[in-house]
Every structure is written in structure tokens, then in C-alpha cells.
């Protein structure tokens, strides 16, 4: 047969074979419960961020750079930012995505208490709006937003805002106007669309979107994305080791250190992806407005009586590290290196001798006459990890000579004892704890001025756990909030971290990483700062054998 | 005498009805005694910023801005209209939530209940019949030992050994993704959860049956039946069990009622969305409507079971009809 006829005949067969080879299913184990698989359900909404629903931009967890998801972005100045919907972006019902959808989303969230274009009212007062005005371009693809104040971190504050379709949600603007139907709520602009939810097999399935503008250089090898939902981490890890799932996903967290050890030992096909956390899983927060921790030297003494290496080895992953005196993790934008925390009982013995605790009793605690050197450590008893941390701190400090009285509380009572809002709601003047065990989420670390200041600032409407109110601290966070350039912001951040290191309102027990185990048929995994491996950046970079 | 027994039965029914009213009242009160703010849980107790507007919206939606009697009236209305309330955690009627979970729960608990009831009866009677012999001593000792195992440990051991190490059974859920034979696939998924409940609940029932049977073993009619040459099954079931079945029937009735409330431990281990996990999450979230709705359903079924057991005892035990038990 003539070769020039053979190739056209063979070509379709070759192409079919290539396409079939590219149809790949990714199966993710998720530690979550989902009831209805609709957007008004929090767990489903979080899981589908970057799957079916896109934020405007994302942030690469490895280097902190921002990247386009729904929109390209342009930061004209610290008071103006422009978002342009990328070409041919469509909703899964066929409608084009426009800048009107972005404006609508801001307005929708404002109706629910956000402060984008309107002031948000709280019991403590008003939280001022972020945006002064917005204008939409003639082609309706761009929105230019003018900020009320200079804000160098505006992009960070928009990472988790998923844009929703105005043509569907415009009828549901008010809080009491209900929710769209399940089918309508699943309309999104992401690279995948909802396919099915089988509650019996705990499987949520998405397929590659027909309306997403995939193009050369922006392709995903995933034709079907399935989530298997688990109620416990052990079962999820067993299925990963058996090869039933490709990797695990726990929102804003990795797997526990215990699971890592098991997977490393038993999982021949398992590898690990890790990203340094921007939150602090475990810390002891001192109430700096109340005895005994209104005394800086006692805070420093207690902070240096804890065995941090042991804490890291006991509780954290193999990628964890001993923290510094400033509790802000090293992966945070604006980070400054401060002295590493270490166990040094000379601080404690010096404090004890200066304050009259010259003897030790039969239990080994410092005493001043009949008075034992001690404090109460409040802990949320519903969080088993925190209870373990509290017990560790107690053991560590009592070996050094300080008596620690554990004060376990239910979540509600813990909040009443440690936060501004809940203590005020209970009719108290403020938090009443002496010290407490607390974890700082990544979102919380990033809120308002950042660097975890909301947990430290006595004046924060909701948190304020450390009750710090002195001028140096307030000047630093004010400078961060009003910074007119990234350099000015980072300079202010360094001042704040110097304050933290000098005064130790918080002592982190360890800095850890989010560790995700994955099947070794996967490679080139990329992590988003907000969504981890369950993210846009991963769908378009991952390789599957 | 029979009139006295009838009056006693009617009195039992009255007590059940009064208990039903008390259940309704307690179901309303109990969630409100739990510490914490249900609205803070609803809008995210861990969120760093809480909007006052959202807070007030949900306070009104849950009726918490009204006086307690109005709230109780709204609660009664939700019971009578069949919705059992609206859960803002799930954005769904509580009746729909329960409906979607109850079937999952019953698929595990009813087979376990039936198997456990049959096993405990036959094993308990056998031990009683062979009282103080090797079978009884060894079997009872083993049963006591097994009774000490908590259900979560049994479940984890079964999961690790049979699902993970031996790979004989699946680890998660009630079915596989895209099963070729859905019916047999479902049975395959149910085996380990059902077995967990059977192993966890049978020992205590075995001991109960054995002890009840032993208490009548020395009665003359048992001796008479054995001396007449009747076989084991006739003696055990027609004579011993027939005269000692009341405690067993009571336990079976209570177990049946408990089947509807689910088992949080088994559901957690095998990742099954059942009534137990629904209730557990509702308590954690302070989801008042869901707590009230689930308690109402499970409480009502429990009272109904108690009533049915009393009626069955009345009809099947002539001593009750004769009012021999004063």
C-alpha cells in the first residue's frame, strides 16, 4: 500500500490512543464530612475552591509569588489594584465571566458582614471599609478598585474570595432570601465541574470542565477528579498505603506526625510533600495584662524553661524546627530572624532569686515562704492535641521548678477566658486567663496588619489573647497598617518581631510543616499558600504516571 | 386478678404517654443547658472576625431573640409539621437529615441486632444448660473477657487485620465506587461494621440470658421435663426460656430502640454517615434543631419499644396476666 495513504488512515488511531492515555483519574482522600454537596455547605465550599469555584488569584506556597487564577492582576499603587478576567473564562452554564461578577461578589459578601465597600458594624464598633470605589471597563472584563488607605497586602486578603455568578446570585442578595438550588449553586468557572456525589461510597466526583478555556501550556492531565471522604485519618492513611487514593487532603493542615511515621514505615509507594506552615500549631500565650505574666522577666524565664527540642520531636513532623523568640514562622512575608528559643534555666533561677523564691520545697518547686511559684495554664479540653501540649508544658516547667495548674475548659468557656469578644459577652472586663495553649491559623496570622497581631493586640475586637497594649507594639502595627510600600511594611514587620523577641508575649512550641503523603505515581506537585495541593496551581503542574 | 393485670398494663401505657410529654420538654431544655453559644458555632467560632449583622441574623432565625415560651411554641410547631426544625448548619430540614442518615444506620444496626439477639439467646441458654460444666466455665470466662473490650478497640482490630493487612474487606463507607454488583458489594462493606457491633454487644446479653436461665434451672418443671426425657432444645426453649424470657425481652427491646440512634464509634471507624455521627456533630456544633429532632425521634422509638415489650410480656407471660408479679 502506498505510504502516503497509510498515514492519514493511521493518524486517527494514533490520536485516539494518545487521548485515551491522557484520560487520567486523580483520587484524593479528604478528611471532611459533606452532606449535600452544595455551595451553602461550608465543607463543600472549601473543598471546591480552585476546583469548581475560582478566586481571582492564588499564591505559590513555596516562594510566596502571586499567580493568576480567574483574573490577571495589576497593582498600580498601594491604593489601586486592577483585576482583568482572563480571556474566554466562562461559567459552566455557558455565560461569560465578567468584572460585574467580581463587583457582585464583593457586594454579596458585604451584605453578610464583610467590609469591602461598606463599613462593618460589630459590638465593639465599626470596622472601616477597605475599598473606596470601583470602576468597570467598557469591555466588562476589568475592574479597577481604589482603596481607602495604602495597603501593601491587599492581594493576600483576596486569596480565599471565590467569585460567584451574578446572573444566579443577584436574586439571593439578602441574607433571608434563601439559597439557589443545588444545581445552580454548583455553577462555577473552575477547571472542573461537579459530576456526582455518592454518599454510600463517600465519593464526590468532578470531571474536566467543557467550558474552561484549556489551551496549550495550560492543560491538566486530570480528566476525572474524585474525592473519597473519610471520618478518621487512620482509615485514610490505610487506603493511601494500599494505593486506593493518590494523596490526602486536610483543610489548612497536613497529616499528623504519627500518621507520617506509619506511612514512612509501611508505605512503599508513598512519598511526602511538605510546605512550611505560616500558622503556629502550638504555642503558650501569656496574658501580659495580668499577674504573674505582666512581668516580662517571668515570661522570659518560663519561655526558657521549656524543652523545645523535645516538643518538636514528640509532636511535630520530621520537617519541624525549634522556633525563635519571635513566634512568627520563617515562611511569613516580612520575616526577620531572631534568637532561637532554647532551654536555659539560668533565666528562671535569676528571676527566682531576684523575687525572693530562694528555696525549693519537697516537690521541687520554687517557694517564697509558703508561697509556691506557680501559674494556671488554660487549655481547650476538646482539642486532644492541645491537651497533650499543655501536659508537656506542665511536665517541662515542673521539672524546672514552676508549678503549673492545668485549667481545662470547654471550647465555649475557653473562648470566654481568653478572648476579648467572648469575655465581654459574658460581662467580664476582658480575658481572665494567666496563660493558655493556643494554635494560630494561617488566616489568623495574616489578618489585619498580619504577623499574628490580632492575637496579641488588647484592642482587637475579637481576639486579643495576649492583651498587649504598650506603645511600642501599637506603633509597630500601626506602621504596618499604614505602610505605603512593601519595603516600609517589611521594616515595620521587623520592628514588631523585635518587640516579640524582646518581650515574648507568645512562645511557640515548634514551627512545623504541612506534610501531605502521596502515591509515587504522582510527581511535580505544587502547593498553594491557601489551598495546599487542592489547588489550581497543582491541577496544571501535576504529572500522573 | 386479670383485671388487676389489665389495670397495670393501662397504667404502664399512661406512664409511657406521660414520659413522651416529658421527652418533648426535656428535648427542648437539654440543648439549652449545654455550655456555649450556638450562633458562634454556626458562623464559625474559630473565625477571627465575627460580624454583628450575621450574628443578629442567625439569632433571629433560630428564634433565640424571643422569650423561652415562644421558642417552645416554635419547637412544638416543628414537631407537628413534620420538619422537626431547620438546621442552619446543614441548611436543611432536620427530618431530611435524619431520613438520609437513618437508612445507613439501620443497615448496620438491624442485622447486628438480629444476629446478636439470636447468638446471645442460643449461647446463653447453652451455658445455662451446661451450668458449671467445662463448656459453661470456659465460655462464660471468655464472654466476660470479651465484654471488657470497648467497641472502638474491636472495630480498629477488625479494620487493621481484615481490611488493611489481609485486604479481605474494604476500609471505608457502605459501597465501592462504581460496583459491578451493588447488592453483594453492599454486603461486603457491611460485614466488618456489623461484626464489630455483634462482638461488642453479644457478651453482655449472653451473660444476662445465662443468669436468667440459671435462676429457673432448679425449678420443678425443668426437672420434670428432663426426667421425661425431653431433648436439649425442648427443655431449653420451651421450659427454661419460656419462664425466664422477660429480662431478655427487655434487653432486646432496648437494643432495638438503640439501633435507631446509631453507633458513633463504628460510624467514625468505618466512615459511615449515620445517626450517631449526626448527633455527635450536632452536640459539638450546638445545633439546637438537630439535637432536638434526633432526640425526639430516638426518644419516641425508645418509649414505643418499652411499650411493645410490656404488651408482649402481658400477652406471652400468663404470670403477668394473672398478676403474679406484685
Amino acid at each position: 500500500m502506498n505510504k502516503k495513504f497509510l498515514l492519514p488512515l493511521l493518524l486517527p488511531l494514533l490520536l485516539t490512543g494518545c487521548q485515551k492515555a491522557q484520560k487520567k483519574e486523580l483520587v484524593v482522600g479528604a478528611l471532611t464530612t459533606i452532606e449535600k454537596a452544595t455551595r451553602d455547605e461550608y465543607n463543600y465550599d472549601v473543598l471546591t475552591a480552585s476546583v469548581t469555584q475560582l478566586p481571582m488569584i492564588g499564591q505559590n506556597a513555596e516562594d510566596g509569588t502571586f499567580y493568576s487564577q480567574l483574573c490577571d492582576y495589576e497593582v498600580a499603587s498601594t491604593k489601586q489594584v486592577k483585576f482583568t478576567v482572563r480571556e474566554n473564562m466562562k461559567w459552566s452554564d455557558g455565560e461569560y465571566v465578567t468584572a460585574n461578577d467580581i463587583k457582585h461578589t464583593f457586594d454579596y459578601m458585604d451584605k453578610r458582614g464583610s467590609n469591602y465597600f461598606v463599613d462593618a458594624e460589630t459590638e465593639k464598633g465599626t470596622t472601616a471599609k477597605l475599598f473606596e470605589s470601583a470602576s468597570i471597563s467598557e469591555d466588562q472584563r476589568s475592574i479597577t478598585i481604589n482603596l481607602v488607605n495604602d495597603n501593601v497586602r491587599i492581594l493576600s486578603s483576596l486569596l480565599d474570595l471565590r467569585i460567584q455568578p451574578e446572573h444566579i446570585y443577584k436574586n439571593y442578595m439578602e441574607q433571608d432570601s434563601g439559597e439557589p438550588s443545588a444545581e445552580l449553586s454548583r455553577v462555577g468557572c473552575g477547571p472542573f465541574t461537579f459530576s456526582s456525589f455518592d454518599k454510600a461510597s463517600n465519593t464526590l466526583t468532578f470531571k474536566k470542565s467543557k467550558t474552561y478555556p484549556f489551551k496549550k501550556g495550560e492543560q491538566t492531565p486530570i480528566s476525572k477528579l474524585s474525592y473519597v471522604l473519610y471520618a478518621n485519618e487512620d482509615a485514610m492513611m490505610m487506603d493511601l498505603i494500599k494505593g486506593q487514593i493518590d494523596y490526602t487532603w486536610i483543610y489548612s493542615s497536613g497529616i499528623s506526625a504519627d500518621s507520617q511515621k506509619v506511612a514512612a514505615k509501611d508505605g512503599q509507594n508513598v512519598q511526602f510533600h511538605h510546605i512550611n506552615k505560616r500558622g503556629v500549631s502550638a504555642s503558650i500565650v501569656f496574658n501580659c495584662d495580668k499577674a504573674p505574666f505582666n512581668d516580662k522577666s517571668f515570661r522570659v524565664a518560663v519561655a526558657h524553661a521549656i524543652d523545645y527540642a523535645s516538643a518538636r520531636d514528640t509532636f511535630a513532623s520530621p520537617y519541624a524546627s525549634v522556633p525563635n523568640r519571635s513566634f512568627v514562622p520563617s515562611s511569613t512575608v516580612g520575616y526577620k530572624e531572631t534568637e532561637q528559643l532554647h532551654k536555659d534555666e539560668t533565666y528562671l533561677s535569676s528571676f527566682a532569686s531576684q523575687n525572693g523564691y530562694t528555696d525549693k520545697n519537697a516537690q521541687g518547686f520554687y517557694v517564697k515562704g509558703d508561697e509556691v511559684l506557680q501559674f494556671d495554664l488554660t487549655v481547650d479540653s476538646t482539642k486532644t492535641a492541645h491537651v497533650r501540649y499543655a501536659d508537656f508544658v506542665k511536665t517541662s516547667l515542673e521539672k524546672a521548678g514552676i508549678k503549673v495548674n492545668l485549667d481545662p475548659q470547654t471550647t465555649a468557656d475557653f473562648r470566654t477566658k481568653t478572648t476579648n469578644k467572648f469575655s465581654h459577652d459574658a460581662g467580664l472586663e476582658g480575658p481572665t486567663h494567666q496563660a493558655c495553649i493556643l494554635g494560630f491559623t494561617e488566616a489568623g496570622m495574616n489578618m489585619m496588619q498580619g504577623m499574628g497581631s490580632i492575637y496579641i493586640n488588647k484592642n482587637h475586637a475579637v481576639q486579643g489573647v495576649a492583651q498587649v497594649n504598650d506603645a511600642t507594639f501599637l506603633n509597630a502595627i500601626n506602621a504596618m497598617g499604614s505602610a505605603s510600600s512593601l519595603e516600609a511594611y517589611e521594616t515595620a514587620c521587623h520592628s514588631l518581631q523585635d518587640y516579640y523577641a524582646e518581650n515574648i508575649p507568645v512562645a511557640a512550641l515548634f514551627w512545623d510543616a504541612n506534610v501531605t503523603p502521596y502515591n509515587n505515581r504522582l510527581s511535580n506537585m505544587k502547593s498553594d499558600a491557601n489551598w495546599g495541593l487542592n489547588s489550581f496551581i497543582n491541577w496544571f503542574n501535576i504529572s500522573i504516571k | 386478678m386479670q383485671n388487676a393485670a389489665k389495670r397495670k398494663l393501662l397504667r404502664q401505657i399512661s406512664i409511657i404517654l406521660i414520659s413522651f410529654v416529658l421527652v418533648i420538654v426535656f428535648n427542648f431544655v437539654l440543648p439549652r443547658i449545654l455550655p456555649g453559644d450556638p450562633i458562634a458555632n454556626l458562623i464559625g467560632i474559630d473565625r477571627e472576625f465575627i460580624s454583628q449583622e450575621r450574628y443578629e441574623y442567625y439569632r433571629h432565625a433560630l428564634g433565640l431573640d424571643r422569650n423561652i415560651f415562644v421558642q417552645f411554641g416554635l419547637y412544638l410547631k416543628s414537631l407537628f409539621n413534620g420538619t422537626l426544625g431547620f438546621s442552619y448548619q446543614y441548611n436543611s430540614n432536620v427530618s431530611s437529615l435524619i431520613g438520609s442518615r437513618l437508612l445507613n444506620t439501620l443497615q448496620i444496626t438491624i442485622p447486628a441486632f438480629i444476629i446478636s439477639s439470636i447468638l446471645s439467646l442460643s449461647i446463653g441458654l447453652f451455658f445455662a444448660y451446661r451450668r458449671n460444666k467445662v463448656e459453661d466455665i470456659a465460655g462464660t470466662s471468655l464472654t466476660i473477657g470479651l465484654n471488657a473490650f470497648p467497641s472502638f478497640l474491636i472495630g480498629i482490630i477488625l479494620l487493621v487485620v481484615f481490611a488493611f493487612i489481609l485486604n479481605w474487606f474494604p476500609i471505608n463507607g457502605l459501597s465501592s465506587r462504581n460496583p459491578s454488583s451493588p447488592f453483594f458489594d453492599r454486603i461486603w462493606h457491611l460485614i466488618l461494621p456489623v461484626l464489630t457491633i455483634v462482638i461488642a454487644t453479644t457478651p453482655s446479653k449472653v451473660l444476662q440470658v445465662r443468669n436468667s436461665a440459671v435462676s429457673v434451672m432448679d425449678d420443678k418443671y425443668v426437672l420434670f421435663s428432663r426426667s421425661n426425657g425431653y431433648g436439649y432444645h425442648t427443655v431449653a426453649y420451651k421450659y427454661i426460656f419460656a419462664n425466664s424470657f422477660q429480662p431478655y425481652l427487655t434487653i432486646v427491646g432496648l437494643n432495638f430502640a438503640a439501633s435507631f440512634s446509631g453507633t458513633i464509634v463504628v460510624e467514625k471507624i468505618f466512615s459511615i454517615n449515620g445517626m450517631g455521627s449526626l448527633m455527635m456533630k450536632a452536640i459539638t456544633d450546638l445545633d439546637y434543631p438537630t439535637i432536638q429532632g434526633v432526640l425526639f425521634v430516638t426518644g419516641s422509638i425508645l418509649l414505643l419499644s418499652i411499650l411493645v415489650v410490656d404488651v408482649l410480656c402481658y400477652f406471652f407471660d400468663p404470670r403477668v396476666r394473672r398478676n403474679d408479679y406484685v
Side-chain angles (χ1 to χ4, degrees), chain A residues 25 27 33-36 40-43 110-115 120-123 127 175-179 197-203 205 224 226 228-232 234-239 241-242 244 266 383 410-413 415 421-422 425 441 443-444 447 454-455 460 462-463, chain B residues 35-37 40-41 43-58 86 88-92 96-98 100-101 104 107 156 159-160 162-165 167-179 185-186 189 267-273 277-278 281 284 286:
Chain A
E25 183 182 10
V27 183
T33 50
I34 287 174
E35 198 66 32
K36 299 187 299 177
D40 58 298
E41 188 177 4
Y42 176 75
N43 287 346
D110 281 344
K111 290 277 186 189
R112 280 147 186 80
S114 292
N115 62 321
E121 300 296 331
T122 69
E123 269 185 6
T127 302
Q175 291 217 70
D176 56 0
S177 50
E179 297 289 336
F197 178 39
D198 178 14
K199 289 176 88 168
S201 65
N202 292 330
T203 307
T205 306
K224 189 172 162 189
S226 298
V228 180
L229 311 178
Y230 293 85
N232 73 86
D234 296 319
M236 186 169 67
M237 290 306 301
M238 284 190 234
D239 260 350
I241 292 169
K242 282 171 63 172
Q244 297 291 320
D266 292 339
K383 296 182 177 169
T410 61
T411 300
D413 290 339
R415 292 287 165 171
K421 174 168 170 54
F422 290 96
D425 285 349
T441 65
M447 276 218 165
I454 64 166
Y455 300 107
H460 187 259
V462 177
Q463 296 292 339
Chain B
D37 184 347
N41 276 294
I43 58 178
I45 196 168
D46 283 327
R47 292 214 192 145
E48 280 69 24
F49 176 77
I50 296 174
S51 151
Q52 193 60 27
E53 197 178 335
R54 274 173 69 78
Y55 191 92
E56 290 303 326
Y57 169 74
Y58 283 113
F86 188 86
Y88 285 92
Q89 285 283 353
Y90 295 100
N91 271 320
S92 171
S96 303
L97 284 175
I98 291 174
S100 68
R101 301 268 188 141
N104 292 344
Q107 286 178 72
I156 289 170
L159 187 74
V160 170
F162 294 103
F164 181 59
I165 295 173
N167 208 17
W168 288 356
F169 296 99
I171 283 172
N172 180 40
L174 288 174
S175 85
S176 307
R177 297 184 291 136
N178 308 314
D185 179 76
R186 181 60 61 97
H189 276 78
E267 288 169 21
K268 188 85 173 165
I269 291 171
F270 296 97
S271 300
I272 292 167
N273 294 312
S277 53
L278 178 66
K281 189 159 188 310
T284 312
L286 287 180

Side-chain angles (χ1 to χ4, degrees), chain A residues 103 106-107 110 114-119 129-134 143 145-146:
Chain A
K103 179 64 172 53
F106 285 129
D107 292 337
D110 281 344
S114 292
N115 62 321
Y116 292 114
F117 285 97
V118 299
D119 297 338
K129 61 184 181 180
L130 289 170
F131 303 153
E132 187 61 55
S133 61
I143 179 170
I145 301 171
N146 299 305

Side-chain angles (χ1 to χ4, degrees), chain A residues 77-96:
Chain A
S77 69
T78 54
K79 287 187 81 169
Q80 191 183 80
V81 61
K82 180 179 172 185
F83 295 101
T84 302
V85 178
R86 295 197 299 137
E87 206 173 347
N88 292 323
M89 291 298 292
K90 283 184 182 176
W91 297 107
S92 51
D93 60 1
E95 297 286 328
Y96 278 95

Side-chain angles (χ1 to χ4, degrees), chain A residues 117-297:
Chain A
F117 285 97
V118 299
D119 297 338
E121 300 296 331
T122 69
E123 269 185 6
K124 284 284 278 185
T126 304
T127 302
K129 61 184 181 180
L130 289 170
F131 303 153
E132 187 61 55
S133 61
S135 59
I136 292 177
S137 61
E138 267 190 42
D139 65 359
Q140 303 206 335
R141 280 183 57 205
S142 299
I143 179 170
T144 303
I145 301 171
N146 299 305
L147 310 180
V148 172
N149 296 309
D150 289 303
N151 190 334
V152 299
R153 298 171 62 244
I154 188 62
L155 293 182
S156 297
S157 62
L158 295 173
L159 292 175
D160 67 347
L161 178 70
R162 279 86 79 199
I163 303 303
Q164 60 190 34
E166 184 194 19
H167 62 281
I168 292 172
Y169 279 87
K170 65 182 177 190
N171 299 320
Y172 302 92
M173 287 298 286
E174 302 303 323
Q175 291 217 70
D176 56 0
S177 50
E179 297 289 336
S181 67
E183 195 185 332
L184 287 178
S185 79
R186 291 173 187 146
V187 169
C189 55
F192 300 97
T193 52
F194 174 85
S195 177
S196 65
F197 178 39
D198 178 14
K199 289 176 88 168
S201 65
N202 292 330
T203 307
L204 193 54
T205 306
F206 302 87
K207 56 186 180 194
K208 201 166 168 178
S209 169
K210 290 189 171 72
T211 54
Y212 188 87
F214 294 104
K215 55 182 188 244
K216 193 175 173 183
E218 193 176 320
Q219 286 285 354
T220 176
I222 308 164
S223 59
K224 189 172 162 189
L225 177 59
S226 298
Y227 292 88
V228 180
L229 311 178
Y230 293 85
N232 73 86
E233 192 175 306
D234 296 319
M236 186 169 67
M237 290 306 301
M238 284 190 234
D239 260 350
L240 176 76
I241 292 169
K242 282 171 63 172
Q244 297 291 320
I245 57 176
D246 289 313
Y247 67 85
T248 64
W249 180 74
I250 305 171
Y251 176 49
S252 195
S253 176
I255 55 167
S256 65
D258 294 331
S259 291
Q260 288 169 44
K261 287 168 190 159
V262 169
K265 182 167 151 280
D266 292 339
Q268 285 91 10
N269 299 327
V270 174
Q271 296 186 58
F272 295 92
H273 175 90
H274 73 276
I275 291 289
N276 288 337
K277 282 190 182 186
R278 294 181 182 196
V280 180
S281 306
S283 67
I284 172 168
V285 182
F286 305 111
N287 186 338
C288 302
D289 196 36
K290 192 178 151 65
F293 289 111
N294 53 354
D295 182 341
K296 179 182 117 178
S297 58

Side-chain angles (χ1 to χ4, degrees), chain B residues 126-159:
Chain B
F126 177 74
F127 287 167
Y129 196 81
R130 304 292 294 164
R131 180 177 53 163
N132 296 329
K133 302 270 190 320
V134 169
E135 300 94 327
D136 176 39
I137 294 168
T140 305
S141 305
L142 181 67
T143 304
I144 292 171
L146 207 53
N147 197 37
F149 273 67
S151 57
F152 72 84
L153 185 58
I154 296 168
I156 289 170
I157 290 172
L158 291 177
L159 187 74

Side-chain angles (χ1 to χ4, degrees), chain B residues 238-249:
Chain B
K238 197 172 173 189
Y239 289 93
I240 297 173
F241 177 62
N243 289 282
S244 63
F245 76 93
Q246 272 207 34
Y248 172 75
L249 193 62

